Amino acid sequence: MWQQEIKVEYGLILYLVLVNLIGFALMGLDKWKAKHKKWRIAERTLFGIAIAGGSLGAWAGMYVFRHKTRHWYFAVGMPLILAAQAAAAWFMINNTI
């Protein structure tokens, strides 16, 4: 029986890629829904995906789709979440035993 061990790092990278793609896509989908007067994605869902690791994708989606950029809590909140996550990642990488 052949088994391949998947390293934790690769799983984490895959997770981050997926959650950022979801964050980006949700911003685009919410913008589309806003233009077509459809039921919108809750702001807590957009922030939730950012907190779950998708802050870079959500922040990029804000500016690519020109969506939520006038709301101060998005314009300030998304970069703050990204900065906190980057600082945490830097700390974890540089303080490993």
Side-chain angles (χ1 to χ4, degrees), residues 17-18 24 27-28 38 43 52-53 57 66 89 92 95:
V17 167
L18 290 175
F24 185 83
M27 282 295 180
K38 301 286 183 182
E43 290 180 348
R66 296 185 196 135
M92 289 175 15
N95 290 312

Side-chain angles (χ1 to χ4, degrees), residues 2 8 15 21 38 46 61 71 86-87:
W2 182 79
V8 173
Y15 170 78
L21 286 173
K38 301 286 183 182
L46 298 174
H71 297 273

